[in-house]
Amino acid sequence: MIVMKFGGSSVANAERIKHVASIIQAYAEKRPAVVLSAMGDTTDHLLEAADLAVQGKVDIEKVEKLHLDTAKELDVDVPAIKELLEELKTLLTGISMLHELTRRTRDYLVSFGERMSVRMMAAYLQKQGTSAKFYDAWDIGMVSDSNYMSAELLDEVWENIPKALNDYKNGKQKEIPIVTGFIAKDKNGIITTLGRGGSDLSATMIGAAMRADEIQTWKDVDGILTTDPRVVKEARPVPEVTYEEAQELAMFGSQVLHPRSMIPCRKTGTPVRVKNSYNIKSEGSVIVEKHSGATPRVTAITSVKDVTLIDIQSSGMFGAAGFLAHIFNQFLKWNISIDVIATSEVSVSLTVNTKAKLDGLIEDLERVADVTVKTSKSIVTLICDASHSSSILSDAFSALNKEGINVQMISQGASKVNISMLVDSEQTNKVVQVLHSALFG
């Protein structure tokens, strides 16, 4: 058994649905369970409809047109989608009367996209002669806490999922399960969403709980690449990365899998393969616990643009216990997360998301230290074997020095698989190009 996950762009319209259906059919002998996101921009359209409803206007034209036109083009009749559109209209009418959109109601609202998507795909596969059955996530036991908009799955899903899908895995059930990602229900039967990376998490959770042969996530490139091909045209596929490396890649800008989605498959050692939906013969990249051969010196280069650097310095805190604790408590107070950090006895340099509101934080920090804020910075990260950091940095800095590029901060992660450096945002692409040439040839 395998699990196949397709994002919203993969099922954006009738043509893409036909293509994904052909991929599912090509893997039918491997007994796939399929996880789908909402079609294209459906989630955005649902949220737009919610904003209008809060203002008193009910309008589902964009959502309704996309799904009914797609069904017509696929030549399928999907009564369940029409029922969901009526349910959606009723919900928006309620929102328009209350002029309010709560977190709980928002989760209910955005669930419609995936619920319609799986019904569309199942109907089309059936029309093509491939047995398929749609499932809302809770039908296979996806139970979460009640933290709406960012729910976490409960431990009982490890038992619930096999109970629901064992007959399929064992061959007693013929229909291919087409399952929603990103959503669940809490103990009270209220719909929740799993937050960032929710669809990836659903796929890895199903794969891990079912002890699948592998989990496949389908993209539009040949797996994980050495860097962004839009920046470096010579970027090439990486055949194999570890779970740890994949997490670091995702943390520092690469659109692979959300870091939290690695947790279930790491528990069971279930491999994850990143495949290209436009080139299904490509092996893609596989994510595993450990490298099968020698650990590569450098695996990939990734970047995050437009971050803010905060330098905090206080000579009065030299030798004083609790300086860092005080600094970090201010970030906790203002709910601002830190990306990269470098420290000394009396100073701390760290980066945060540029979108974070910093006024209150800076005011608190300035009570105990001198604070300098610098914007328009970027983090460039080397995913590498940090046990070779001296030779890696020697090659990297030699190449950057030849180009007259200065690195403003450097940090080696505790995971020992990443080295991050800070540069001006306008230099980001140049830095990536120089490093890729120096480290990959």
Side-chain angles (χ1 to χ4, degrees):
M1 178 181 178
I2 62 172
V3 174
M4 309 173 77
K5 184 259 177 179
F6 297 92
S9 61
S10 295
V11 290
N13 52 44
E15 181 182 352
R16 298 298 299 141
I17 288 174
K18 289 177 181 179
H19 182 63
V20 168
S22 71
I23 296 174
I24 294 169
Q25 290 167 326
Y27 282 84
E29 291 184 0
K30 292 184 178 289
R31 304 203 66 72
V34 180
V35 176
L36 294 185
S37 296
M39 288 181 62
D41 297 325
T42 298
T43 300
D44 289 338
H45 292 159
L46 287 167
L47 292 173
E48 287 174 17
D51 289 339
L52 287 173
V54 170
Q55 299 168 28
K57 181 181 178 182
V58 175
D59 182 1
I60 65 167
E61 182 181 357
K62 288 182 179 178
V63 177
E64 185 174 49
K65 183 175 183 351
L66 173 63
H67 289 83
L68 294 184
D69 285 357
T70 301
K72 184 177 180 180
E73 194 171 339
L74 294 174
D75 192 26
V76 293
D77 183 27
V78 193
I81 288 180
K82 295 174 182 176
E83 292 172 9
L84 286 175
L85 288 169
E86 287 301 315
E87 185 181 338
L88 171 61
K89 193 177 295 184
T90 301
L91 172 62
L92 290 170
T93 300
I95 294 171
S96 70
M97 293 173 70
L98 294 172
H99 299 285
E100 181 184 30
L101 180 67
T102 64
R103 292 168 66 91
R104 170 175 159 173
T105 304
R106 184 186 184 279
D107 278 4
Y108 178 21
L109 175 81
V110 298
S111 75
F112 282 89
E114 295 194 348
R115 291 157 71 194
M116 289 189 285
S117 176
V118 297
R119 285 155 174 78
M120 189 82 73
M121 180 62 76
Y124 181 71
L125 284 169
Q126 290 279 18
K127 180 179 180 293
Q128 295 297 302
T130 300
S131 294
K133 180 179 180 182
F134 69 81
Y135 291 86
D136 293 322
W138 45 86
D139 295 332
I140 64 165
M142 289 287 203
V143 182
S144 74
D145 60 25
S146 301
N147 184 22
Y148 302 111
M149 292 175 58
S150 190
E152 294 290 346
L153 294 172
L154 302 182
D155 287 343
E156 64 192 69
V157 300
W158 286 94
E159 297 179 1
N160 293 347
I161 294 170
K163 287 179 183 176
L165 296 181
N166 266 341
D167 280 351
Y168 174 69
K169 182 179 181 180
N170 297 333
K172 294 180 182 178
Q173 175 187 320
K174 301 302 180 185
E175 299 96 343
I176 296 173
I178 312 294
V179 188
T180 59
F182 174 65
I183 59 178
K185 277 187 177 179
D186 66 13
K187 288 282 194 178
N188 299 314
I190 306 300
I191 294 175
T192 61
T193 61
L194 302 179
R196 293 182 61 195
S199 293
D200 289 336
L201 177 61
S202 296
T204 56
M205 186 68 246
I206 293 169
M210 295 303 299
R211 303 302 195 270
D213 296 322
E214 70 177 24
I215 300 154
Q216 299 176 349
T217 180
W218 290 78
K219 308 282 185 180
D220 57 3
V221 292
D222 284 337
I224 298 168
L225 303 182
T226 49
T227 196
D228 188 339
R230 295 169 297 183
V231 176
V232 179
K233 64 181 181 181
E234 296 84 9
R236 55 182 184 264
V238 179
E240 181 183 76
V241 301
T242 65
Y243 295 129
E244 198 168 39
E245 289 168 342
Q247 283 183 309
E248 295 291 344
L249 275 166
M251 286 289 232
F252 290 102
S254 179
Q255 300 297 316
V256 184
L257 288 173
H258 194 276
R260 69 200 285 248
S261 69
M262 291 283 99
I263 297 171
C265 48
R266 291 193 74 168
K267 286 185 178 180
T268 57
T270 307
V272 181
R273 191 175 296 274
V274 183
K275 297 273 286 177
N276 186 352
S277 61
Y278 294 94
N279 182 17
I280 68 172
K281 292 183 179 180
S282 169
E283 288 296 313
S285 304
V286 65
I287 306 171
V288 291
E289 184 63 43
K290 294 180 180 179
H291 284 287
S292 56
T295 302
R297 192 174 72 131
V298 181
T299 298
I301 303 170
T302 187
S303 63
V304 180
K305 293 183 178 180
D306 297 322
V307 301
T308 296
L309 171 66
I310 303 177
D311 287 324
I312 306 163
Q313 188 166 12
S314 176
S315 57
M317 297 301 292
F318 182 80
F323 177 50
L324 287 179
H326 179 79
I327 296 299
F328 292 141
N329 278 334
Q330 304 315 308
F331 282 85
L332 176 63
K333 172 184 174 182
W334 293 99
N335 193 31
I336 295 173
S337 61
I338 297 168
D339 298 319
V340 173
I341 184 168
T343 68
S344 72
E345 184 75 18
V346 295
S347 67
V348 182
S349 295
L350 44 81
T351 64
V352 298
N353 189 310
T354 297
K355 294 179 181 179
K357 295 181 179 179
L358 300 177
D359 292 347
L361 169 68
I362 301 304
E363 186 178 331
D364 282 351
L365 291 174
E366 286 179 336
R367 294 193 178 103
V368 297
D370 296 324
V371 181
T372 304
V373 178
K374 300 174 183 177
T375 57
S376 300
K377 305 297 178 184
S378 291
I379 302 167
V380 176
T381 299
L382 307 178
I383 305 302
C384 60
D385 180 0
S387 65
H388 297 289
S389 59
S390 294
S391 70
I392 293 169
L393 289 174
S394 175
D395 291 345
F397 280 104
S398 176
L400 292 172
N401 182 54
K402 287 179 181 178
E403 297 294 331
I405 297 171
N406 289 315
V407 172
Q408 298 162 35
M409 174 178 145
I410 187 167
S411 176
Q412 181 173 318
S415 65
K416 307 305 181 190
V417 299
N418 89 67
I419 299 173
S420 294
M421 54 191 77
L422 196 75
V423 298
D424 289 329
S425 282
E426 62 187 21
Q427 295 180 311
T428 310
N429 288 356
K430 180 67 173 176
V431 170
V432 171
Q433 290 161 1
V434 169
L435 291 176
H436 194 275
S437 177
L439 298 171
F440 289 101

